[in-house]
């Protein structure tokens, strides 16, 4: 039927219109003298329509809000790599950026001229950026994120730092990302296996150094899902011949592969099968 969408849209507007008065009645007298109520009303949970006295008043943005990208760097008080870039200048984000507004210059060793995995320069043309967030989605190092800061207006029509954000302007500490997006930062840390940069985690895993892992006591409103503990398989009690004890429970239990490992194993099998076919073909040709 024609016009259903229009009626639904009007219904949403009317609902918000009436909610304005419901909110006013519910919080009458509180909003002017109660900071918490004021913040709630200006926040994403508020349902009514009202005027915001910007810039004195500002509406809180939800965690998933995104404006322009910024680069994550280590905090200044990081014990091992203060201020270090998370970006490895892998070059993925400039490739996926639809309007092609990212430029990177990769660092290189001044002596050997070999590339170093960190950006010497990083530019984003903010006038061209369409805030799509693809750069942040594709970055394999969680090094580029979408900012909540939307107040970028400036009188200056030219110049780096205003319309083109350079590395200095783009860089913000990891603690800033944790502050503006606590849930997402926690989920990413769980995926990486620790709070640090993925390369640092890998190095620590190799050397056996302790890794700061996100746990349920983490200072975020997000409650992590409870992962059921697997029951330990009973130890293999006797050997098939001779009745000797063989191995521990962990050794006896079947090894459960992660999806990533299973995919790797699948690829390995395919490679081997392709090689076997190639060899067979070559031998057939020789014969
Ligand atoms: S948000 Fe989108 S348009 Fe902006 S820099 Fe990232 S990929 Fe490019
Ligand atoms: S995808 Fe991430 S690591 Fe790669 S260049 Fe972009 S920000 Fe740096």
């Amino acid at each position: 039927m024609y016009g259903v969408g229009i009626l639904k849209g009007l219904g949403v507007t009317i609902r918000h219109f009436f909610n304005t008065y419901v909110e006013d009645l519910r919080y009458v007298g509180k909003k002017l003298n109660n900071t918490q109520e004021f913040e709630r009303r200006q926040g994403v949970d508020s349902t009514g329509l009202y005027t915001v006295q910007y810039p004195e008043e500002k509406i809180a943005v939800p965690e998933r809000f995104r404006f322009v990208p910024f680069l994550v760097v280590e905090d200044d008080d990081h014990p091992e790599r203060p201020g270090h870039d998370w970006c490895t200048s892998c070059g993925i984000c400039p490739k996926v950026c639809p309007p092609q507004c990212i430029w990177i210059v990769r660092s290189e060793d001044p002596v050997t001229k070999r590339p170093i995995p960190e950006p010497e320069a990083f530019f984003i043309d903010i006038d061209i950026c369409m805030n799509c967030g693809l750069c942040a989605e594709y970055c394999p190092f969680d090094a580029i994120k979408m900012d909540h800061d939307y107040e970028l207006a400036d009188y200056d029509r030219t110049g780096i730092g205003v319309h083109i954000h350079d590395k200095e302007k783009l860089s913000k500490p990891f603690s800033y990302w944790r502050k503006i997006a606590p849930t997402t930062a926690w989920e990413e840390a769980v995926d990486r296996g620790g709070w640090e940069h993925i390369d640092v985690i890998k190095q620590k895993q190799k050397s056996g150094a302790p890794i700061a892992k996100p746990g349920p006591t983490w200072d975020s409103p997000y409650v992590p899902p409870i992962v059921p503990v697997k029951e330990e398989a009973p130890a293999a009690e006797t050997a098939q011949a001779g009745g000797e004890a063989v191995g521990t429970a962990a050794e006896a239990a079947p090894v459960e592969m992660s999806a990533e490992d299973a995919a790797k194993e699948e690829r390995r099998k395919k490679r081997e099968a392709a090689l076997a076919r190639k060899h067979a073909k070559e031998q057939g040709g020789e014969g």
Side-chain angles (χ1 to χ4, degrees), residues 13-258:
T13 309
I14 288 172
R15 198 175 69 239
H16 282 299
F17 174 75
F18 284 111
N19 276 346
T20 307
Y21 297 101
V22 174
E23 286 251 315
D24 274 349
L25 288 174
R26 194 185 298 163
Y27 299 102
V28 67
K30 288 182 185 172
K31 63 179 176 175
L32 293 178
N33 53 16
N34 183 327
T35 313
Q36 237 177 352
E37 276 316 321
F38 178 78
E39 280 177 2
R40 193 209 62 78
R41 190 177 159 83
Q42 302 288 338
V44 288
D45 295 334
S46 188
T47 52
L49 299 170
Y50 48 87
T51 305
V52 174
Q53 305 297 327
Y54 182 84
E56 286 78 22
E57 295 175 10
K58 288 173 196 164
I59 298 178
V61 293
E63 184 175 330
R64 296 280 176 181
F65 176 83
R66 59 170 197 257
F67 204 56
V68 295
F70 70 93
L71 290 174
V72 176
V73 297
E74 298 288 13
D75 289 0
D76 287 338
D77 59 355
H78 191 280
E80 291 135 25
R81 339 187 301 155
H84 200 285
D85 296 297
W86 276 44
C87 172
T88 61
S89 66
C90 68
I92 289 176
C93 58
K95 284 202 177 75
V96 299
C97 173
Q100 298 282 287
C101 63
I102 304 178
W103 297 275
I104 303 177
V105 180
R106 189 175 235 207
S107 299
E108 64 177 24
D109 189 298
V111 182
T112 62
K113 301 291 177 200
R114 289 174 72 88
I116 297 171
E118 58 190 52
E120 186 181 316
F122 202 115
F123 300 100
I124 298 182
D125 191 329
I126 294 304
D127 289 349
I128 295 176
C129 171
M130 57 187 195
N131 321 113
C132 65
L134 282 183
C135 48
E137 285 293 325
Y138 277 89
C139 176
F141 299 96
D142 294 329
I144 189 164
K145 297 290 164 203
M146 302 307 285
D147 208 344
H148 285 184
D149 182 12
Y150 52 84
E151 295 180 310
L152 301 181
D154 198 282
Y155 288 108
D156 188 355
R157 287 182 165 203
T158 58
I160 292 214
V162 181
H163 295 266
I164 296 179
H165 286 192
D166 60 359
K167 195 170 154 221
E168 191 187 342
K169 173 98 178 174
L170 288 168
S171 298
K172 296 195 175 178
F174 180 57
S175 54
Y176 174 75
W177 173 236
R178 278 184 70 172
K179 188 172 150 228
I180 64 167
T183 313
T184 315
W186 188 89
E187 286 168 350
E188 289 168 355
V190 171
D191 284 346
R192 285 196 304 273
W195 278 116
E196 308 243 39
H197 189 276
I198 185 73
D199 288 346
V200 176
I201 293 171
K202 281 181 185 165
Q203 275 169 9
K204 288 191 171 178
Q205 276 169 344
K206 270 189 199 160
S207 65
I211 299 166
K213 291 193 176 180
T217 54
W218 172 64
D219 54 341
S220 159
Y222 176 73
V223 180
I226 296 167
V227 182
V229 179
K230 279 191 211 130
E231 278 186 24
E232 211 170 85
E237 283 170 3
T238 53
Q240 283 177 351
E244 286 175 19
V246 287
T248 62
E251 284 166 352
V255 179
E256 200 172 302
M257 271 193 214
S258 67

